[in-house]
Amino acid sequence: MTQFDVATAAVEAALAAGARYADARVMHRRSESMTARNGEIEDLRQDEDAGVGVRALVGSSWGFFAVPDLGGEAARRAGERAAAIARASSTVPGPALDLVDVEARVDSWASACEVDPLGVALSVKGDLLTGATAEAHKAGADIAEGLYQIWDTQKWFVSSQGHRIDQHIREAGAGISATVIGDGETQRRSYPSYRGQYGTRGWELVDELDIPAHAARIAEEARALLSAPQCPAGETTLILGSEQMALQIHESVGHAIELDRILGWEAAFAGTSWLDLAKINQLRYGSELMNITIDPTIPGALGSFGYDDEGTPATPRYAVRDGIWVGALAGRDSAAVAGLDYAGSVRADGWARLPMVRMTNVGLRPGPHTLEEMIAATDDGVLMDLNRSWSIDDKRLNFQFGCEIGWEIKNGKLGRMLRNPTYTGIGPRFWGSMDMLSSEIVSWGTPNCGKGQPGQIGHTGHPAAAARFQNVRVGVRG
């Protein structure tokens, strides 16, 4: 049987067992990761799995069942079990759950990949990490760590409405960090991000990062931070670099606009949302410079795909336009309940997990400024970059973030390096204070977004640029 035959058998069995709608995803996944410390390989992991997951809709209830078996009989049993679970869950009276209309497609899609990351020799990958971490260690890091991660995922999707879609998505990324330990103080610097940089690309992405060229620099900066002055406390002008802006978007916008959270369907890990559907297209989320898009079509970004796990084609749309909240991350069922006419943001992290609303590429549209112009226009402020810690309440509203490094800004020029920089704010008030935004967008990849029970790890993208905010509380009050 082909993978499409397996998925079709599962869907047909679910329909025969009483489902009014069913879909199935066959997935084959391979992954590889390696870590190194101080010039030595610490760990190598290679995994491979395959299976089929089936959703069945009975009344207003979903049933889901998955098996690690691509035989026809196993697929049919999975379809029957999914329908039985849905039927058992539909005993509570209520209207049948509608699904937003999506055109049934027969299609094939693959992410761009110049160099197959799984085809690159392990010796080449190992030399990269051991060389870079050895260089950082030599330059003063007490602990120098490096890693790369690779995912190769093939999907075959079939629905009872006629979808028949296959996709091949390859993802890769890498990064290094340098940690130094002082007298009661530990500092860390990372490149290119505290968790690395990732995208739906091949090994060419890792080559372009040129990690060894930054090894000595981050070690030297981490050591310099040990003796740098503490970030002062108070209200000031804050400039955030693009990497920290990606985290700011992820936590205070991305999770907040997930429709299942807004509806109260989901609260695990990241809480619900402060947004009220009655205020969509009216609520001011931020300043007029704030334009946030949901765009899974960005070439090479980590949240990109051809179709989501409901067969909805990737389509860009606004979440915030000129500062006004106008859109959400939605699935076919949640969109129908909310009265929206679009979906397209449902994914699962494997064949054995129920697809749910997830971020795709949620990020900023570029602004009219440069980082240099923002610094020059600031008489007194702080520049912070690269995330170190994050904390946000379960409504995605009040937050406090820490960064790896900061710099004092005086009279339009960068001054002293600052250690332990932190800032705090309330979502719409903070975004409303954004008065300058760079045109230099970077599509940062976040490979570790947790959500759901059982937990799922999502891969999301965040196009971001440096931005300036007014009257932000920074530092820690004594």
Side-chain angles (χ1 to χ4, degrees):
M1 298 179 73
T2 68
Q3 287 85 351
F4 277 127
D5 291 337
V6 173
T8 300
V11 168
E12 290 177 347
L15 295 177
R20 59 187 180 89
Y21 168 85
D23 58 36
R25 289 171 300 112
V26 172
M27 293 182 64
H28 177 218
R29 305 183 305 176
R30 293 182 293 163
S31 63
E32 180 180 292
S33 63
M34 182 185 292
T35 59
R37 176 180 291 192
N38 294 350
E40 300 288 338
I41 297 297
E42 280 218 315
D43 182 63
L44 169 65
R45 180 165 183 170
Q46 296 172 311
D47 294 302
E48 183 171 2
D49 63 21
V52 57
V54 192
R55 293 195 311 172
L57 182 59
V58 175
S60 61
S61 298
W62 287 106
F64 177 78
F65 198 81
V67 291
D69 187 335
L70 298 185
E73 185 56 35
R76 283 187 284 272
R77 286 198 303 271
E80 292 168 354
R81 290 292 298 275
I85 292 168
R87 187 166 52 254
S89 302
S90 65
T91 55
V92 177
L97 184 66
D98 291 326
L99 301 178
V100 166
D101 287 337
V102 172
E103 178 188 355
R105 299 277 189 93
V106 176
D107 199 7
S108 182
W109 186 88
S111 58
C113 178
E114 296 176 18
V115 181
D116 180 1
L118 292 178
V120 175
L122 287 174
S123 59
V124 172
K125 299 166 180 171
D127 287 347
L128 172 70
L129 296 186
T130 56
T133 57
E135 180 67 21
H137 186 51
K138 180 181 176 182
D142 293 306
I143 303 172
E145 296 175 300
L147 84 161
Y148 74 78
Q149 297 182 86
I150 296 165
W151 301 271
D152 187 310
T153 305
Q154 292 177 278
K155 303 180 183 183
W156 295 265
F157 176 78
V158 170
S159 82
S160 58
Q161 294 180 335
H163 293 87
R164 190 179 176 93
I165 299 165
D166 67 275
Q167 299 188 82
H168 187 188
I169 300 174
R170 285 179 279 197
E171 303 159 302
I176 55 171
S177 66
T179 301
V180 296
I181 302 168
D183 184 15
E185 184 81 23
T186 299
Q187 293 294 332
R188 167 184 162 130
R189 287 292 283 128
S190 307
Y191 173 80
S193 163
Y194 76 94
R195 62 185 161 252
Q197 169 65 319
Y198 301 86
T200 51
R201 299 179 61 196
W203 193 253
E204 67 274 8
L205 183 155
V206 178
D207 286 336
E208 291 168 11
L209 293 175
D210 195 8
I211 285 173
H214 298 268
R217 174 185 61 82
I218 64 169
E220 292 162 1
E221 289 182 357
R223 190 150 293 280
L225 280 168
L226 286 178
S227 56
Q230 187 86 359
C231 178
E235 285 195 358
T236 190
T237 300
L238 173 66
I239 299 176
L240 294 180
S242 68
E243 193 271 356
Q244 177 61 26
M245 280 293 290
L247 188 279
Q248 183 72 53
I249 293 165
H250 181 98
E251 298 294 344
S252 69
V253 181
H255 278 306
I257 63 171
E258 291 171 331
L259 188 53
D260 54 350
R261 296 193 189 283
I262 296 170
L263 292 172
W265 295 2
E266 165 69 24
F269 283 125
T272 56
S273 175
W274 66 278
L275 294 171
D276 180 350
L277 270 175
K279 297 181 179 179
I280 195 167
N281 298 317
Q282 303 170 40
L283 175 73
R284 177 158 291 281
Y285 211 121
S287 76
E288 291 186 357
L289 280 175
M290 186 184 187
N291 289 285
I292 300 280
T293 57
I294 300 165
D295 188 358
T297 69
I298 299 171
L302 191 62
S304 295
F305 48 79
Y307 296 84
D308 79 346
D309 284 350
E310 294 186 305
T312 303
T315 304
R317 58 178 43 88
Y318 277 92
V320 179
R321 191 164 196 167
D322 299 330
I324 304 300
W325 174 43
V326 296
L329 294 154
R332 295 183 65 187
D333 53 359
S334 56
V337 168
L340 305 179
D341 61 359
Y342 57 84
S345 300
V346 166
R347 290 187 291 166
D349 74 353
W351 52 266
R353 291 289 181 262
L354 179 68
M356 63 170 64
V357 173
R358 298 307 301 256
M359 289 180 238
T360 61
N361 297 312
V362 178
L364 279 165
R365 297 288 300 155
H369 310 109
T370 66
L371 176 58
E372 291 74 21
E373 289 171 345
M374 284 184 251
I375 294 171
T378 302
D379 291 329
D380 185 64
V382 178
L383 167 63
M384 301 183 192
D385 203 10
L386 265 71
N387 183 255
R388 186 176 182 180
S389 66
W390 64 94
S391 176
I392 192 164
D393 70 12
D394 61 4
K395 290 287 189 179
R396 321 307 297 176
L397 187 60
N398 298 277
F399 61 82
Q400 178 173 311
F401 297 137
C403 294
E404 287 186 357
I405 194 166
W407 289 272
E408 186 179 65
I409 302 174
K410 293 290 185 182
N411 301 317
K413 295 183 178 180
L414 282 183
R416 301 176 300 170
M417 181 185 292
L418 301 174
R419 64 186 167 98
N420 304 329
T422 63
Y423 67 99
T424 187
I426 300 172
R429 185 182 302 171
F430 177 80
W431 286 105
S433 75
M434 182 170 67
D435 67 345
M436 296 186 81
L437 175 65
S438 174
S439 61
E440 300 161 357
I441 295 286
V442 177
S443 289
W444 293 99
T446 301
N448 61 336
C449 177
K451 184 177 178 181
Q453 290 177 322
Q456 298 191 36
I457 301 299
H459 293 183
T460 69
H462 301 291
R468 191 177 80 164
F469 302 84
Q470 293 291 346
N471 303 314
V472 178
R473 178 161 292 282
V474 304
V476 178
R477 287 176 289 184

